[in-house]
Amino acid sequence: MSLYDEGHTIAGWAGAGVATVGSGVLGWGVCAASTAGVAGGLAVVAASVLVTWALHLSGWGKPPGVRPRAQWGMRDRDTLARAGHPDCVSCRLAGRGRRSGNVMVAVPGEAGAASMPLSSVE
């Protein structure tokens, strides 16, 4: 059993449900040769992204990575969502969160990195 438990959240299931409905409407629109059906299906699929994002930011989605088993339940709300999750694209798009890796900062007056050959042929 995986310790990551990805997608077992209210945000994940709600987004998947709305996307499934949108895909069905889109498929119907293609089969019926209906421009309105295709446009409506695409709009519902786009709305699924926004629904998932809003639920994630409100604490009903969980951060990527390993979580303690006590936080695996779908009804457990993520209390750290307001501050943002490290390495979470959704949080960074909303102006929250931070990257967990090292950040390189340019210092004025210091020389840049030296060039090094990539192979022994160079």
Side-chain angles (χ1 to χ4, degrees):
M1 176 167 224
S2 174
L3 294 177
Y4 286 89
D5 192 41
E6 296 288 337
H8 298 144
T9 63
I10 300 292
W13 282 102
V18 173
T20 301
V21 170
S23 297
V25 172
L26 179 62
W28 172 82
V30 168
C31 290
S34 168
T35 306
V38 170
L42 288 174
V44 173
V45 170
S48 74
V49 173
L50 298 176
V51 165
T52 305
W53 189 33
L55 286 170
H56 173 78
L57 294 175
S58 65
W60 291 111
K62 305 233 172 100
V66 180
R67 292 189 308 271
R69 189 175 289 273
Q71 295 179 2
W72 282 11
M74 283 184 47
R75 294 183 187 151
D76 295 332
R77 197 164 184 182
D78 184 15
T79 57
L80 302 176
R82 191 169 295 275
H85 305 115
D87 293 330
C88 178
V89 175
S90 295
C91 290
R92 276 189 269 137
L93 285 172
R96 302 178 185 177
R98 59 243 166 247
R99 290 180 184 255
S100 64
N102 294 334
V103 177
M104 297 187 67
V105 177
V107 178
E110 287 192 13
S115 175
M116 61 185 280
L118 300 175
S119 69
S120 59
V121 177
E122 293 178 7

